[in-house]
Amino acid sequence: MELKKDINTVSIDMLLIVHSEKRRAAQGTHSDQQADPSALLQRRGGFQGIGNGVRRWQKLEGNDLHENLVEKQHPQQPQVITSYNSQGTQLTVEVHPRDAMPQLLKKFSLAKRLQGDKNGNTRPRQPGGKDAHAYPWDRSSLKSMSLDLRQFEKLDLYASQVTAKSGLDELVSDLLQEAHTDLERVRAIWIWICHHIEYDIAAAQEKDRQAFKPTDILRTQKTNCDGYAGLFERMCRIAGVQCMTVPGYSKGFGYQTGQSFSGEFDHAWNAVYLEGRWHLVDSTWGSGLVDTTTSKFTFLYNEFYFLTHPALFIEDHFPDNKNWQLLKPPQSLRQFENNMYHKSEFYNKGMLSAHPETSIIRTVNGKATVTIESCAPTLFMFMLNGKQEHGLLSLRKNGMKLEVYPPTMGTHKLQIFAKGNSDIYSSVLEYTLKCNYVDMGVQLPAELHQPVGPSWFSEQMGIMKPSHPDPIIHTSDGRCSISFSVEEGINVLASLHGDDGPITEEAQRRYIFQLHWEKRTELKVQLPHAGKFALKIFVKKRQEPGNYIFVFNYLLCCANTKVNWPMFPESFGNWGQDNELLEPLSGVLPANRNIPFKLKLHGIAKVLVKGQDTWPLTLNHEGYWEGSCSTAGCQEVYVMVLENANHNFYSYILKYKVNAQ
């Protein structure tokens, strides 16, 4: 009230300016004028100098109006009256003649001109209700405004190729040659910074780092996050676009799942005013990434952080001023800490949601389940503590399902990766698993790779209509038969893998016998003993060179400890794709016995079975070759064929071993 009384005593024929040296303590409230971002930082202490960095940057570039925009004093000096109120507030009144313009009034006038945009707006307004987007995300778009990125193709190419200049004005002028709207101006500036400015890791790690002048950034083409944000803001303002630097916390380089945030800020980004509302950008994260193992920066453009939908931006950016969340309702810091963090690649690769929605999962009966919904068929993989083990990952047309069985009690790191249009899997999610119980009966084979079970991907690779659509097959006697249709021109290879010690690749395949009938492939499987096994399926186009490609695997389970099946007979290259073996299926024959043979072969003139002696097989009316062979006096038995009656040599197609007497 004293301040108001003092003002009322001044003659209306005079102009006056009143200074208050006591800082307002209204933290979290905002006047009609835009708060200085560096002041916001200082209220929270700043982070490693980012608040001071923004302030120093402004001073160096002439943006600090109170220190660098000093006008010459008017010849007629004002009368200065200083007093103190009961709370210790210093009140200084400058009384000027009517025709004189106060020095600070000149400063404010100049400030408005400098901070005004090309349309004459004097100062960026605070974000309000019309800027806010509803939370949670409505899945409609990754952007905060409707965009067709194809409209930027020509502009992006142009902006990325503009060379750095000695001054910002010249650089911005060059960039705007192909930009005709505020949106295009912002886009050109964004593309140029993301493709030319490198993140300075050494400077970012300095405890009291110096501010980056834009001229120095242009010269070195290096900076840290506050340098990125300051440069982006300055270039936008030169282009006549309202832009603000926003400080806050981030889930960026070095972030650990579930960590809390307090004290100093660690990041800065920007808000730009386009088409009547505010939008968010982060040119630091748009430009590339830091390798956590080498601490080296790599340019890798990330479209996600350009005009990001605020409901997605809040997942890894928490501003000091909650209004800059551009959300209704706004999130609290505690919510920011506890909410599930989806990496940008999660959305870039078409993911829509993940469950559970918490970053820390507690196992139930030794198992944790994660599901992801995607907008298109996507390939996934996972790693538990850095290894692709102890989990069952099955693909779905709209996502995936993962069941994880941690091998020990305690805390485990679960990473989930997705593959988009490129051949590279990118990390999209990270969970922390808390396990207080291990089910020793659920021990998965180490060779059980991903994915398990047939899916849209196996169809894409030529395997269709499987007899067993589920990834897990239980067998009581250790035997099973699996069949599926195979696309014309595709070869199939299968192998069996358990955890009972190393076995040869040939032996892995000898527990599987592959047959073809009526355009279907059948895999007869005999487990060598009780336990869990991975049955891997590979494919290869017949006419193309190269190796077989892994498609998927089944998990075969047998609890019968009496199972002890021998391998199937060894087959050779002349064993045709459409051949069929009925008996004997065991690759080991008893000694001193007459063994019946029955098999179907196509395009064959004669068939012989050779032990110590040779026995011919005859063709019956059903098209099967039948006969028998004695195993007396021999260690091996072969099936031989004569493909053409005019030929005089036979080819081996099957080999059996005979038990020692």
Side-chain angles (χ1 to χ4, degrees):
M1 295 303 294
E2 289 183 4
L3 178 60
K4 183 176 181 180
K5 181 170 64 176
D6 286 345
I7 293 176
N8 289 336
T9 62
V10 179
S11 169
I12 61 172
D13 292 334
M14 299 293 186
L15 296 173
L16 60 84
I17 299 294
V18 179
H19 306 271
S20 175
E21 299 297 334
K22 185 175 182 180
R23 173 174 292 183
R24 293 183 180 180
Q27 181 172 352
T29 63
H30 304 275
S31 65
D32 292 335
Q33 290 185 335
Q34 175 62 48
D36 178 10
S38 61
L40 295 176
L41 282 166
Q42 288 194 333
R43 285 207 299 269
R44 298 290 295 272
F47 74 90
Q48 294 186 355
I50 189 172
N52 294 330
V54 172
R55 183 176 292 274
R56 286 195 295 269
W57 178 85
Q58 290 175 336
K59 290 181 179 180
L60 290 168
E61 291 304 308
N63 253 358
D64 193 330
L65 302 174
H66 295 283
E67 296 193 21
N68 292 335
L69 301 179
V70 179
E71 297 284 336
K72 291 182 180 179
Q73 281 192 341
H74 195 278
Q76 291 180 276
Q77 296 296 327
Q79 179 183 1
V80 179
I81 304 172
T82 301
S83 63
Y84 296 86
N85 67 5
S86 59
Q87 285 77 35
T89 299
Q90 176 184 330
L91 303 178
T92 303
V93 179
E94 296 179 5
V95 183
H96 300 261
R98 178 189 294 272
D99 59 349
M101 187 175 186
Q103 181 175 326
L104 282 181
L105 194 56
K106 288 183 180 181
K107 292 180 182 179
F108 288 137
S109 177
L110 182 55
K112 292 179 179 180
R113 293 203 304 273
L114 285 178
Q115 296 190 8
D117 63 14
K118 63 185 180 63
N119 297 319
N121 297 321
T122 58
R123 184 181 290 272
R125 67 165 177 82
Q126 282 285 313
K130 61 184 280 188
D131 301 290
H133 296 250
Y135 186 88
W137 180 46
D138 61 5
R139 300 184 177 189
S140 60
S141 172
L142 301 183
K143 303 294 186 182
S144 54
M145 63 189 300
S146 179
L147 284 184
D148 182 355
L149 294 177
R150 291 173 297 182
Q151 75 184 81
F152 296 131
E153 289 178 357
K154 181 179 178 181
L155 178 62
D156 288 356
L157 179 62
Y158 169 80
S160 65
Q161 295 177 348
V162 171
T163 57
K165 304 297 188 299
S166 58
L168 280 183
D169 288 342
E170 183 182 359
L171 173 59
V172 173
S173 178
D174 283 356
L175 287 172
L176 300 192
Q177 293 298 316
E178 296 293 331
H180 308 294
T181 65
D182 281 355
L183 173 59
E184 290 179 348
R185 295 181 184 97
V186 169
R187 180 71 179 190
I189 293 168
W190 155 269
I191 288 292
W192 189 89
I193 291 178
C194 288
H195 286 80
H196 289 84
I197 305 303
E198 179 180 346
Y199 187 75
D200 193 331
I201 300 172
Q205 293 174 341
E206 293 176 6
K207 188 173 183 180
D208 188 21
R209 61 181 180 266
Q210 297 298 311
F212 283 82
K213 293 174 59 177
T215 51
D216 290 338
I217 297 175
L218 293 186
R219 177 177 53 82
T220 64
Q221 297 197 26
K222 284 188 175 184
T223 189
N224 52 13
C225 58
D226 41 327
Y228 274 100
L231 179 63
F232 189 88
E233 177 182 345
R234 173 58 69 86
M235 292 177 72
C236 283
R237 293 196 177 192
I238 292 175
V241 179
Q242 292 186 24
C243 179
M244 295 296 297
T245 294
V246 181
Y249 297 121
S250 69
K251 296 179 180 178
F253 179 68
Y255 168 73
Q256 299 294 323
T257 301
Q259 84 174 57
S260 58
F261 296 87
S262 62
E264 300 177 344
F265 299 122
D266 63 356
H267 197 40
W269 54 94
N270 296 100
V272 290
Y273 193 73
L274 298 170
E275 299 185 9
R277 67 193 306 182
W278 286 103
H279 304 269
L280 302 170
V281 300
D282 187 340
S283 56
T284 309
W285 290 6
S287 62
L289 50 83
V290 177
D291 189 318
T292 55
T293 57
T294 64
S295 292
K296 291 184 178 180
F297 174 80
T298 301
F299 277 106
L300 186 63
Y301 177 72
N302 193 341
E303 175 63 40
F304 180 77
Y305 292 106
F306 178 74
L307 308 186
T308 315
H309 194 292
L312 304 181
F313 204 74
I314 191 62
E315 292 199 19
D316 47 19
H317 292 75
F318 188 84
D320 174 59
N321 181 344
K322 68 178 181 180
N323 291 340
W324 286 117
Q325 293 182 25
L326 306 184
L327 287 176
K328 53 183 179 184
Q331 300 290 288
S332 67
L333 180 58
R334 180 59 59 87
Q335 287 174 305
F336 175 73
E337 293 171 343
N338 295 335
N339 283 351
M340 183 63 198
Y341 168 41
H342 304 98
K343 298 185 178 183
S344 61
E345 284 300 290
F346 180 89
Y347 299 106
N348 284 338
K349 288 191 163 39
M351 310 297 105
L352 297 173
S353 64
H355 297 278
E357 295 180 338
T358 57
S359 57
I360 298 177
I361 307 175
R362 298 189 182 277
T363 59
V364 177
N365 297 325
K367 181 178 78 171
T369 302
V370 175
T371 60
I372 292 181
E373 181 185 356
S374 61
C375 59
T378 305
L379 288 175
F380 293 89
M381 62 170 282
F382 78 92
M383 297 187 79
L384 183 67
N385 301 326
K387 296 182 179 180
Q388 300 181 44
E389 298 178 2
H390 309 294
L392 299 172
L393 189 153
S394 54
L395 299 177
R396 300 173 174 177
K397 286 189 176 180
N398 64 336
M400 71 87 172
K401 178 182 179 182
L402 171 63
E403 295 178 342
V404 182
Y405 302 86
T408 60
M409 292 188 292
T411 301
H412 303 266
K413 181 180 180 180
L414 174 62
Q415 297 169 285
I416 298 177
F417 303 81
K419 182 179 177 181
N421 297 326
S422 67
D423 291 332
I424 300 175
Y425 281 90
S426 300
S427 176
V428 295
L429 279 180
E430 286 189 11
Y431 287 97
T432 297
L433 300 188
K434 301 284 188 179
C435 180
N436 57 9
Y437 169 78
V438 176
D439 186 348
M440 302 307 296
V442 184
Q443 185 173 356
L444 303 177
E447 288 290 330
L448 186 73
H449 289 174
Q450 309 150 41
V452 293
S455 66
W456 62 266
F457 178 66
S458 54
E459 286 187 11
Q460 191 179 86
M461 299 300 289
I463 296 179
M464 297 158 288
K465 299 179 180 178
S467 59
H468 294 70
D470 294 329
I472 302 177
I473 299 175
H474 293 275
T475 169
S476 59
D477 63 356
R479 286 181 167 182
C480 65
S481 178
I482 302 165
S483 65
F484 38 76
S485 298
V486 180
E487 189 177 296
E488 186 67 28
I490 298 292
N491 285 343
V492 176
L493 182 67
S495 59
L496 192 69
H497 305 262
D499 283 342
D500 54 347
I503 56 176
T504 65
E505 184 176 339
E506 186 270 339
Q508 291 169 356
R509 289 197 291 268
R510 289 280 300 280
Y511 287 100
I512 307 161
F513 201 81
Q514 189 168 321
L515 304 172
H516 301 269
W517 46 271
E518 297 180 357
K519 297 183 179 181
R520 288 182 69 83
T521 291
E522 180 182 6
L523 301 175
K524 291 182 178 292
V525 182
Q526 295 181 168
L527 300 183
H529 52 76
K532 294 183 177 65
F533 295 83
L535 177 64
K536 293 186 178 182
I537 311 295
F538 304 82
V539 300
K540 178 182 177 298
K541 290 186 177 180
R542 295 175 192 171
Q543 304 303 322
E544 294 184 3
N547 298 323
Y548 280 82
I549 300 172
F550 171 75
V551 181
F552 71 96
N553 44 209
Y554 284 106
L555 175 63
L556 307 185
C557 305
C558 179
N560 187 353
T561 56
K562 296 181 179 180
V563 167
N564 185 21
W565 294 107
M567 294 184 291
F568 287 104
E570 182 179 355
S571 60
F572 299 101
N574 289 334
W575 176 261
Q577 288 284 328
D578 297 326
N579 293 347
E580 183 179 350
L581 176 66
L582 270 67
E583 58 179 351
L585 287 175
S586 173
V588 181
L589 304 178
N592 302 316
R593 295 275 300 274
N594 282 330
I595 306 298
F597 282 78
K598 185 176 183 180
L599 60 163
K600 180 175 285 187
L601 307 172
H602 298 276
I604 298 301
K606 293 182 180 181
V607 182
L608 301 176
V609 179
K610 183 180 183 301
Q612 186 173 7
D613 298 313
T614 302
W615 288 266
L617 302 183
T618 58
L619 186 64
N620 67 18
H621 66 281
E622 295 178 341
Y624 289 95
W625 293 89
E626 292 183 304
S628 63
C629 165
S630 173
T631 59
C634 63
Q635 296 179 342
E636 297 174 337
V637 172
Y638 294 88
V639 177
M640 308 164 61
V641 298
L642 185 69
E643 296 182 4
N644 191 308
N646 296 324
H647 292 171
N648 56 6
F649 58 88
Y650 284 79
S651 301
Y652 293 109
I653 60 172
L654 294 176
K655 175 184 177 181
Y656 294 85
K657 289 187 176 181
V658 178
N659 268 331
Q661 296 185 12

